[in-house]
Amino acid sequence: MPLFRKFTAIVFLALLAGSAAQADNDVQGELTIVHPWSRATAPSQKAGGVFLKIQNAGDQPDRLIAIESEMADVASLHTTIRDGDVMKMRPVKEGIIVPAKGEAELAPGGQHIMLIGLRERLVKQTTFPLTLIFERAGRVEIVASVEAAGARAPSGAVGDHGQHGAAAGPAK
Amino acid sequence: MKKSTRIGILLAIVVVAVIAGMAQWLVIRNDDITQNANGLVTSVEIGGPFSLTDHTGRQVTEKDYLGNFTLVFFGYTFCPDICPTELGDIALALDELGDLSLAVTPVMISIDPERDTPPVLAEYVSLFHERLVGLTGTAEQIKDVADAYRIFFRRVDDPDYSYYLMDHTSFVYLLNPEGDVVSLLRYGTPPEEMASLIRRQLRS
Protein backbone atom coordinates (compact mmCIF):
# COMPACT_ATOMS: atom_id res chain seq x y z
CA MET A 1 0.00 0.00 0.00
CA PRO A 2 2.10 2.89 -1.24
CA LEU A 3 -0.27 5.51 0.15
CA PHE A 4 -0.04 4.03 3.61
CA ARG A 5 3.77 3.90 3.39
CA LYS A 6 3.89 7.50 2.31
CA PHE A 7 1.63 8.45 5.18
CA THR A 8 3.84 6.54 7.64
CA ALA A 9 6.92 8.27 6.29
CA ILE A 10 5.32 11.68 6.68
CA VAL A 11 4.20 10.91 10.21
CA PHE A 12 7.65 9.65 11.05
CA LEU A 13 9.33 12.77 9.64
CA ALA A 14 6.84 15.00 11.44
CA LEU A 15 7.51 13.19 14.70
CA LEU A 16 11.23 13.51 14.19
CA ALA A 17 11.03 17.21 13.37
CA GLY A 18 8.59 17.87 16.21
CA SER A 19 10.57 16.05 18.83
CA ALA A 20 13.86 17.55 17.69
CA ALA A 21 12.38 21.01 18.11
CA GLN A 22 10.82 20.07 21.43
CA ALA A 23 14.03 18.56 22.74
CA ASP A 24 15.81 21.89 22.28
CA ASN A 25 19.12 20.22 21.76
CA ASP A 26 22.00 22.56 21.39
CA VAL A 27 25.10 21.42 19.74
CA GLN A 28 28.31 23.27 20.11
CA GLY A 29 31.21 21.54 18.50
CA GLU A 30 31.20 18.13 20.07
CA LEU A 31 28.70 18.66 22.87
CA THR A 32 25.01 17.86 22.66
CA ILE A 33 22.63 18.97 25.37
CA VAL A 34 19.71 16.59 25.59
CA HIS A 35 16.30 17.50 27.02
CA PRO A 36 16.96 20.35 29.41
CA TRP A 37 13.93 20.49 31.69
CA SER A 38 12.68 21.96 34.92
CA ARG A 39 9.63 21.69 37.16
CA ALA A 40 6.72 24.06 37.67
CA THR A 41 6.99 26.22 40.79
CA ALA A 42 4.51 28.06 42.99
CA PRO A 43 4.67 31.89 42.98
CA SER A 44 6.19 31.90 46.47
CA GLN A 45 8.72 29.19 45.68
CA LYS A 46 12.14 30.73 45.28
CA ALA A 47 14.15 27.76 44.06
CA GLY A 48 13.97 25.46 41.08
CA GLY A 49 16.05 22.66 39.60
CA VAL A 50 17.15 22.15 36.00
CA PHE A 51 18.03 18.69 34.69
CA LEU A 52 19.63 17.61 31.41
CA LYS A 53 22.08 15.26 29.79
CA ILE A 54 25.34 16.34 28.17
CA GLN A 55 26.82 14.10 25.48
CA ASN A 56 30.40 14.59 24.41
CA ALA A 57 31.31 13.17 20.99
CA GLY A 58 34.84 14.59 21.17
CA ASP A 59 38.16 13.03 22.12
CA GLN A 60 38.71 15.47 24.99
CA PRO A 61 36.79 15.67 28.25
CA ASP A 62 35.05 18.94 29.01
CA ARG A 63 33.78 20.43 32.23
CA LEU A 64 30.57 22.32 32.98
CA ILE A 65 31.82 25.10 35.22
CA ALA A 66 29.05 27.67 35.50
CA ILE A 67 25.48 28.56 34.62
CA GLU A 68 23.92 31.89 33.76
CA SER A 69 20.22 32.58 33.85
CA GLU A 70 18.04 35.66 33.80
CA MET A 71 15.41 33.63 35.65
CA ALA A 72 17.13 33.71 39.03
CA ASP A 73 19.52 35.71 41.20
CA VAL A 74 21.92 32.79 41.31
CA ALA A 75 22.28 29.67 39.16
CA SER A 76 24.67 27.07 40.48
CA LEU A 77 25.57 23.41 40.25
CA HIS A 78 24.36 21.23 43.10
CA THR A 79 24.28 17.59 43.93
CA THR A 80 22.09 15.57 46.23
CA ILE A 81 24.03 13.32 48.55
CA ARG A 82 22.31 10.41 50.22
CA ASP A 83 23.83 9.87 53.63
CA GLY A 84 21.95 6.89 55.05
CA ASP A 85 18.40 8.14 54.73
CA VAL A 86 19.33 11.78 55.17
CA MET A 87 19.31 13.84 51.98
CA LYS A 88 21.84 16.61 51.70
CA MET A 89 22.20 19.09 48.90
CA ARG A 90 25.62 20.60 48.34
CA PRO A 91 27.20 22.94 45.78
CA VAL A 92 29.46 21.26 43.21
CA LYS A 93 32.35 23.70 43.27
CA GLU A 94 34.68 21.76 40.97
CA GLY A 95 32.12 21.62 38.14
CA ILE A 96 30.76 18.59 36.31
CA ILE A 97 33.09 16.62 34.04
CA VAL A 98 31.78 15.33 30.73
CA PRO A 99 34.13 12.50 29.72
CA ALA A 100 35.46 12.17 26.16
CA LYS A 101 33.10 10.03 24.07
CA GLY A 102 30.85 9.93 27.09
CA GLU A 103 28.10 11.77 28.87
CA ALA A 104 27.12 13.42 32.12
CA GLU A 105 23.60 13.34 33.46
CA LEU A 106 21.93 15.90 35.67
CA ALA A 107 18.82 14.15 36.98
CA PRO A 108 16.51 14.17 40.03
CA GLY A 109 18.22 12.66 43.05
CA GLY A 110 21.68 13.58 41.79
CA GLN A 111 23.48 16.45 40.14
CA HIS A 112 21.36 19.38 39.04
CA ILE A 113 21.40 23.07 38.28
CA MET A 114 19.76 25.00 41.07
CA LEU A 115 18.07 28.30 40.32
CA ILE A 116 18.10 30.31 43.53
CA GLY A 117 16.00 33.40 44.04
CA LEU A 118 13.64 32.76 41.13
CA ARG A 119 12.58 36.10 39.61
CA GLU A 120 9.51 34.61 38.05
CA ARG A 121 7.44 31.54 38.49
CA LEU A 122 8.21 28.53 36.29
CA VAL A 123 4.96 27.72 34.53
CA LYS A 124 4.22 24.24 33.22
CA GLN A 125 4.42 23.87 29.44
CA THR A 126 6.51 27.00 28.96
CA THR A 127 10.23 27.30 28.25
CA PHE A 128 13.05 29.56 29.42
CA PRO A 129 16.62 30.17 28.26
CA LEU A 130 19.82 29.60 30.19
CA THR A 131 23.51 29.49 29.37
CA LEU A 132 25.86 26.64 30.24
CA ILE A 133 29.52 27.59 30.45
CA PHE A 134 32.04 24.88 29.65
CA GLU A 135 35.78 24.96 30.20
CA ARG A 136 36.53 24.04 26.55
CA ALA A 137 33.35 24.56 24.56
CA GLY A 138 32.62 27.93 26.15
CA ARG A 139 29.09 29.30 26.28
CA VAL A 140 26.23 27.08 25.17
CA GLU A 141 22.77 28.68 25.03
CA ILE A 142 19.93 26.28 25.75
CA VAL A 143 16.17 26.39 26.27
CA ALA A 144 14.65 24.36 29.10
CA SER A 145 11.05 23.14 29.12
CA VAL A 146 8.95 23.32 32.28
CA GLU A 147 7.24 20.07 33.27
CA ALA A 148 4.77 19.28 36.08
CA ALA A 149 5.92 20.09 39.62
CA GLY A 150 6.35 16.42 40.54
CA ALA A 151 7.75 15.19 37.20
CA ARG A 152 10.55 12.63 37.30
CA ALA A 153 11.61 13.05 33.70
CA PRO A 154 10.90 15.37 30.77
CA SER A 155 7.65 14.51 29.01
CA GLY A 156 8.18 12.30 25.98
CA ALA A 157 11.66 11.29 27.11
CA VAL A 158 10.71 7.63 27.45
CA GLY A 159 11.14 5.80 24.15
CA ASP A 160 11.36 9.20 22.63
CA HIS A 161 12.61 10.14 19.18
CA GLY A 162 14.28 13.31 20.35
CA GLN A 163 17.18 11.42 21.86
CA HIS A 164 17.95 9.77 18.54
CA GLY A 165 17.66 13.12 16.86
CA ALA A 166 20.08 14.45 19.41
CA ALA A 167 22.55 11.65 18.89
CA ALA A 168 22.54 12.50 15.21
CA GLY A 169 22.97 16.15 16.10
CA PRO A 170 26.75 16.57 15.88
CA ALA A 171 26.74 15.34 12.29
CA LYS A 172 24.69 18.37 11.20
CA MET B 1 -0.96 -20.12 62.36
CA LYS B 2 -1.99 -19.09 58.87
CA LYS B 3 0.80 -18.74 56.34
CA SER B 4 -0.05 -15.07 55.74
CA THR B 5 0.17 -14.38 59.48
CA ARG B 6 3.59 -16.01 59.63
CA ILE B 7 4.76 -13.94 56.66
CA GLY B 8 3.30 -10.86 58.33
CA ILE B 9 5.23 -11.51 61.53
CA LEU B 10 8.42 -12.20 59.60
CA LEU B 11 7.97 -8.97 57.68
CA ALA B 12 7.37 -7.08 60.92
CA ILE B 13 10.61 -8.51 62.33
CA VAL B 14 12.51 -7.49 59.20
CA VAL B 15 11.04 -3.98 59.34
CA VAL B 16 11.95 -3.64 63.00
CA ALA B 17 15.46 -4.93 62.31
CA VAL B 18 15.91 -2.46 59.47
CA ILE B 19 14.67 0.39 61.67
CA ALA B 20 16.87 -0.70 64.56
CA GLY B 21 19.89 -0.93 62.30
CA MET B 22 19.52 2.53 60.84
CA ALA B 23 21.95 5.42 61.17
CA GLN B 24 22.80 6.98 64.50
CA TRP B 25 20.14 9.70 64.31
CA LEU B 26 17.34 7.19 64.37
CA VAL B 27 17.64 6.22 67.98
CA ILE B 28 15.09 3.72 69.17
CA ARG B 29 14.92 3.85 72.91
CA ASN B 30 14.26 0.65 74.81
CA ASP B 31 11.04 1.94 76.29
CA ASP B 32 9.77 2.61 72.75
CA ILE B 33 9.79 -1.06 71.95
CA THR B 34 6.89 -3.24 72.93
CA GLN B 35 7.60 -6.94 73.27
CA ASN B 36 5.21 -9.79 73.90
CA ALA B 37 5.68 -12.48 76.56
CA ASN B 38 8.02 -14.42 74.29
CA GLY B 39 10.22 -11.41 73.72
CA LEU B 40 8.94 -10.85 70.18
CA VAL B 41 9.03 -7.21 69.23
CA THR B 42 5.47 -6.26 68.39
CA SER B 43 5.72 -2.53 67.86
CA VAL B 44 8.10 0.39 67.79
CA GLU B 45 6.78 3.74 68.89
CA ILE B 46 7.17 6.26 66.10
CA GLY B 47 4.92 9.25 65.71
CA GLY B 48 2.41 10.49 68.24
CA PRO B 49 0.67 13.71 69.16
CA PHE B 50 1.49 16.99 67.43
CA SER B 51 0.18 20.52 67.31
CA LEU B 52 0.69 22.34 64.01
CA THR B 53 -0.89 24.79 61.56
CA ASP B 54 -2.18 23.62 58.18
CA HIS B 55 -1.77 25.44 54.86
CA THR B 56 -5.14 27.16 55.29
CA GLY B 57 -4.00 28.63 58.61
CA ARG B 58 -6.07 26.25 60.77
CA GLN B 59 -4.60 24.93 64.05
CA VAL B 60 -4.54 21.16 63.88
CA THR B 61 -3.44 18.15 65.90
CA GLU B 62 -2.96 14.47 65.03
CA LYS B 63 -6.63 13.96 65.98
CA ASP B 64 -7.75 15.89 62.90
CA TYR B 65 -6.37 13.11 60.70
CA LEU B 66 -7.72 10.08 62.54
CA GLY B 67 -10.32 7.99 60.73
CA ASN B 68 -8.35 8.00 57.48
CA PHE B 69 -4.99 6.57 56.51
CA THR B 70 -2.31 9.28 56.34
CA LEU B 71 0.87 9.42 54.27
CA VAL B 72 3.34 11.72 55.99
CA PHE B 73 6.41 13.23 54.35
CA PHE B 74 8.79 15.76 55.88
CA GLY B 75 10.19 18.32 53.42
CA TYR B 76 10.45 22.00 52.54
CA THR B 77 9.45 24.18 49.61
CA PHE B 78 12.96 25.59 48.90
CA CYS B 79 13.97 22.11 47.81
CA PRO B 80 14.29 21.68 44.06
CA ASP B 81 15.16 18.01 43.91
CA ILE B 82 14.15 15.47 46.57
CA CYS B 83 10.88 16.99 47.81
CA PRO B 84 9.22 17.49 44.40
CA THR B 85 10.35 14.00 43.38
CA GLU B 86 8.91 12.40 46.51
CA LEU B 87 5.68 14.41 46.37
CA GLY B 88 5.33 13.56 42.68
CA ASP B 89 5.72 9.88 43.54
CA ILE B 90 3.13 10.13 46.32
CA ALA B 91 0.69 11.75 43.87
CA LEU B 92 1.35 8.97 41.33
CA ALA B 93 0.80 6.30 43.99
CA LEU B 94 -2.53 7.89 44.94
CA ASP B 95 -3.56 8.10 41.27
CA GLU B 96 -2.76 4.44 40.91
CA LEU B 97 -5.08 3.62 43.83
CA GLY B 98 -8.01 5.32 42.08
CA ASP B 99 -11.04 5.66 44.36
CA LEU B 100 -9.25 3.76 47.12
CA SER B 101 -6.93 6.77 47.47
CA LEU B 102 -9.78 8.67 49.13
CA ALA B 103 -9.01 6.58 52.23
CA VAL B 104 -5.54 8.18 52.35
CA THR B 105 -4.69 11.78 53.28
CA PRO B 106 -1.30 12.90 51.94
CA VAL B 107 0.51 15.30 54.29
CA MET B 108 3.78 17.20 54.01
CA ILE B 109 5.21 18.54 57.27
CA SER B 110 7.69 21.37 56.71
CA ILE B 111 11.04 21.19 58.45
CA ASP B 112 11.67 24.80 57.35
CA PRO B 113 8.95 26.77 59.16
CA GLU B 114 10.91 30.01 58.78
CA ARG B 115 10.24 30.07 55.03
CA ASP B 116 7.20 27.80 54.89
CA THR B 117 4.36 29.90 56.23
CA PRO B 118 0.80 28.66 55.61
CA PRO B 119 0.33 30.84 52.46
CA VAL B 120 3.64 29.59 51.00
CA LEU B 121 2.62 26.00 51.71
CA ALA B 122 -0.85 26.57 50.25
CA GLU B 123 0.61 27.52 46.87
CA TYR B 124 3.10 24.68 47.00
CA VAL B 125 0.86 21.75 47.96
CA SER B 126 -1.68 22.55 45.23
CA LEU B 127 1.01 21.90 42.61
CA PHE B 128 1.23 18.23 43.53
CA HIS B 129 -2.13 16.89 44.62
CA GLU B 130 -5.52 18.47 45.23
CA ARG B 131 -5.80 16.84 48.65
CA LEU B 132 -2.17 17.29 49.78
CA VAL B 133 -2.11 18.95 53.21
CA GLY B 134 0.82 21.19 54.15
CA LEU B 135 1.66 21.51 57.85
CA THR B 136 3.96 24.00 59.52
CA GLY B 137 4.36 25.49 62.97
CA THR B 138 6.73 27.22 65.34
CA ALA B 139 10.34 26.06 65.41
CA GLU B 140 9.54 24.23 68.64
CA GLN B 141 6.43 22.51 67.29
CA ILE B 142 8.38 21.32 64.25
CA LYS B 143 11.21 20.04 66.42
CA ASP B 144 8.71 18.11 68.55
CA VAL B 145 7.00 16.40 65.63
CA ALA B 146 10.33 15.67 63.91
CA ASP B 147 11.63 14.10 67.12
CA ALA B 148 8.50 11.99 67.46
CA TYR B 149 8.99 10.69 63.91
CA ARG B 150 12.78 10.29 64.29
CA ILE B 151 13.33 12.85 61.57
CA PHE B 152 16.75 14.42 61.43
CA PHE B 153 16.92 17.92 59.99
CA ARG B 154 19.54 20.61 60.00
CA ARG B 155 19.89 24.05 58.45
CA VAL B 156 22.94 24.39 56.22
CA ASP B 157 24.12 27.89 55.34
CA ASP B 158 26.25 28.47 52.28
CA PRO B 159 28.85 31.11 53.05
CA ASP B 160 28.81 32.22 49.38
CA TYR B 161 25.14 33.11 49.24
CA SER B 162 22.41 34.55 51.39
CA TYR B 163 20.27 31.42 51.24
CA TYR B 164 20.24 28.22 53.23
CA LEU B 165 19.38 24.60 52.53
CA MET B 166 18.09 21.85 54.78
CA ASP B 167 19.49 18.37 55.30
CA HIS B 168 16.63 16.07 56.16
CA THR B 169 15.51 12.46 56.45
CA SER B 170 13.31 11.56 53.52
CA PHE B 171 11.08 8.79 54.85
CA VAL B 172 7.41 8.53 54.00
CA TYR B 173 5.28 7.17 56.85
CA LEU B 174 1.96 5.44 56.46
CA LEU B 175 -0.37 5.88 59.44
CA ASN B 176 -3.51 3.82 59.93
CA PRO B 177 -6.88 5.41 60.82
CA GLU B 178 -5.96 5.07 64.53
CA GLY B 179 -2.87 7.21 63.94
CA ASP B 180 -0.29 4.43 64.35
CA VAL B 181 2.68 4.28 61.99
CA VAL B 182 2.19 1.00 60.12
CA SER B 183 4.76 1.37 57.32
CA LEU B 184 7.89 3.28 56.62
CA LEU B 185 8.85 3.90 53.00
CA ARG B 186 12.30 4.98 51.97
CA TYR B 187 13.06 7.66 49.40
CA GLY B 188 13.02 6.15 45.94
CA THR B 189 10.29 3.59 46.61
CA PRO B 190 8.57 3.37 43.21
CA PRO B 191 4.98 4.75 43.17
CA GLU B 192 3.60 1.32 42.17
CA GLU B 193 5.25 -0.26 45.22
CA MET B 194 3.90 2.52 47.44
CA ALA B 195 0.43 1.93 46.01
CA SER B 196 0.50 -1.83 46.54
CA LEU B 197 1.74 -1.41 50.11
CA ILE B 198 -1.09 1.03 50.83
CA ARG B 199 -3.57 -1.34 49.18
CA ARG B 200 -2.41 -4.18 51.44
CA GLN B 201 -2.81 -1.98 54.52
CA LEU B 202 -6.27 -0.85 53.43
CA ARG B 203 -7.35 -4.50 53.17
CA SER B 204 -5.86 -5.66 56.46
Side-chain angles (χ1 to χ4, degrees):
Chain A
M1 267 192 266
L3 187 66
F4 179 69
R5 263 212 302 275
K6 207 170 178 182
F7 176 69
T8 319
I10 290 168
V11 167
F12 181 67
L13 283 174
L15 272 177
L16 209 65
S19 56
Q22 183 202 8
D24 290 317
N25 301 298
D26 277 56
V27 180
Q28 179 138 358
E30 288 149 344
L31 295 184
T32 306
I33 313 300
V34 184
H35 273 308
W37 65 285
S38 188
R39 287 160 163 167
T41 57
S44 56
Q45 211 181 325
K46 293 299 171 217
V50 182
F51 311 96
L52 47 86
K53 198 188 275 184
I54 308 160
Q55 295 171 336
N56 183 2
D59 296 325
Q60 297 288 323
D62 206 336
R63 189 198 302 257
L64 176 60
I65 47 175
I67 313 294
E68 281 177 16
S69 175
E70 290 292 308
M71 297 299 287
D73 296 340
V74 180
S76 57
L77 293 167
H78 273 77
T79 192
T80 299
I81 302 161
R82 188 170 182 161
D83 179 0
D85 284 292
V86 177
M87 296 298 183
K88 303 175 171 183
M89 207 162 62
R90 295 290 182 268
V92 180
K93 302 226 155 106
E94 68 282 13
I96 293 170
I97 291 180
V98 191
K101 304 277 182 207
E103 60 178 42
E105 189 164 21
L106 281 67
Q111 302 181 115
H112 55 271
I113 295 164
M114 184 161 172
L115 302 174
I116 300 154
L118 277 177
R119 292 174 184 154
E120 52 187 288
R121 161 175 203 201
L122 303 181
V123 179
K124 192 179 161 183
Q125 289 178 338
T126 63
T127 60
F128 63 90
L130 66 162
T131 306
L132 310 183
I133 300 166
F134 290 91
E135 207 167 54
R136 287 169 47 84
R139 300 171 66 85
V140 178
E141 313 282 334
I142 60 166
V143 177
S145 60
V146 182
E147 308 291 341
R152 258 191 178 273
S155 52
V158 181
D160 134 85
H161 303 274
Q163 300 235 355
H164 303 302
K172 275 191 280 199
Chain B
M1 201 186 284
K2 279 201 340 218
K3 194 181 174 197
S4 60
T5 317
R6 276 209 304 272
I7 292 172
I9 290 173
L10 271 175
L11 272 176
I13 292 171
V14 169
V15 167
V16 169
V18 167
I19 294 168
M22 274 170 198
Q24 74 285 356
W25 47 264
L26 188 75
V27 182
I28 308 286
R29 292 182 298 264
N30 268 339
D31 56 0
D32 287 338
I33 301 172
T34 315
Q35 295 180 327
N36 70 7
N38 301 320
L40 180 71
V41 173
T42 51
S43 75
V44 175
E45 295 292 326
I46 296 180
F50 60 77
S51 179
L52 296 166
T53 306
D54 79 2
H55 62 275
T56 67
R58 192 167 66 106
Q59 306 293 314
V60 296
T61 71
E62 77 288 351
K63 294 194 179 68
D64 291 280
Y65 303 97
L66 299 181
N68 219 6
F69 279 84
T70 315
L71 263 184
V72 180
F73 173 69
F74 289 77
Y76 66 117
T77 66
F78 197 88
C79 168
D81 184 7
I82 298 303
C83 309
T85 305
E86 196 65 67
L87 291 171
D89 284 357
I90 288 175
L92 280 175
L94 294 179
D95 286 350
E96 180 143 339
L97 288 171
D99 286 347
L100 274 180
S101 73
L102 292 172
V104 184
T105 308
V107 173
M108 178 177 106
I109 301 180
S110 173
I111 41 95
D112 183 15
E114 187 178 327
R115 275 188 295 225
D116 294 342
T117 58
V120 168
L121 277 179
E123 288 179 354
Y124 187 74
V125 293
S126 68
L127 289 175
F128 296 94
H129 194 271
E130 56 189 7
R131 290 191 298 109
L132 179 61
V133 174
L135 297 181
T136 186
T138 64
E140 203 181 350
Q141 287 173 327
I142 296 300
K143 192 185 176 302
D144 286 348
V145 68
D147 282 351
Y149 280 85
R150 307 294 195 273
I151 288 287
F152 167 89
F153 69 101
R154 176 173 60 190
R155 176 179 163 146
V156 182
D157 287 270
D158 189 316
D160 292 350
Y161 310 115
S162 58
Y163 70 90
Y164 62 90
L165 297 168
M166 304 296 295
D167 290 348
H168 64 107
T169 319
S170 55
F171 286 132
V172 176
Y173 300 87
L174 179 65
L175 276 62
N176 67 14
E178 291 74 48
D180 305 319
V181 176
V182 289
S183 295
L184 191 141
L185 295 97
R186 300 188 117 149
Y187 172 78
T189 304
E192 314 80 60
E193 228 171 273
M194 248 189 233
S196 67
L197 195 137
I198 294 168
R199 203 176 281 123
R200 277 202 302 278
Q201 288 291 345
L202 288 175
R203 283 199 197 117
S204 64

